[in-house]
Amino acid sequence: MGPKKVSGKVSAQKKMMSIELKREIIEKNEQGVRVADLSRQYGRSTSTICTVRKQKESIKGITPAKGVTIISKLRSSLHEKMEKLLMVWVTEKQLKGDNLTQGDIYVRRHERFTVIC
């Protein structure tokens, strides 16, 4: 899927920032690097850098599930809980020596999500 077309023009696709990148920006800002300098260094708008600064407490407090690098507003705590339960199940199956297919994981994910909701 390519970038969206807006009245004949191609608009830039939204760039998501990883948790590590946000933490790096917060750390540099706390060390005294100015917002404008961070903006230039990371190729982001000053508004984006300021938003990261405003959210620094919640960003520092995030403990994402294994393998998750980007947290989106669309993810609820239900998603996090389901993901953690699924990872526990997968790990248990792997320790038992069971072979898992993508279909097995999909079915289990669906079962877990319906139980949680």
Side-chain angles (χ1 to χ4, degrees), residues 1-109:
M1 180 176 197
K4 296 178 187 174
K5 287 189 177 183
V6 181
S7 63
K9 297 179 184 177
V10 177
S11 67
Q13 205 166 17
K14 184 177 177 180
K15 291 190 261 181
M16 300 292 283
M17 290 174 48
S18 70
I19 299 164
E20 291 80 23
L21 179 61
K22 289 178 181 181
R23 286 182 176 157
E24 188 178 312
I25 289 170
I26 291 167
E27 185 180 320
K28 286 187 178 184
N29 184 249
E30 287 175 343
Q31 292 172 355
V33 180
R34 296 177 329 148
V35 170
D37 295 334
L38 290 169
S39 174
R40 276 190 293 280
Q41 181 180 351
Y42 291 101
R44 308 291 174 139
S45 69
T46 54
S47 172
T48 300
I49 303 298
C50 287
T51 300
V52 170
R53 274 183 38 195
K54 269 193 244 176
Q55 299 172 345
K56 77 177 177 180
E57 293 307 317
S58 62
I59 291 169
K60 285 181 176 182
I62 291 174
T63 52
K66 183 179 177 181
V68 175
T69 57
I70 296 177
I71 300 291
S72 158
K73 289 183 209 172
L74 303 176
R75 295 177 58 84
S76 67
S77 62
L78 287 177
H79 287 97
E80 289 295 322
K81 186 175 181 180
M82 188 242 345
E83 234 174 40
K84 287 179 182 178
L85 289 171
L86 188 60
M87 284 303 298
V88 167
W89 179 77
V90 168
T91 304
E92 287 173 356
K93 289 291 190 181
Q94 288 175 337
L95 290 173
K96 288 181 184 175
D98 295 346
N99 289 331
L100 291 173
T101 65
Q102 191 172 5
D104 294 335
I105 296 171
Y106 177 80
V107 169
R108 184 63 176 200
R109 182 189 72 185

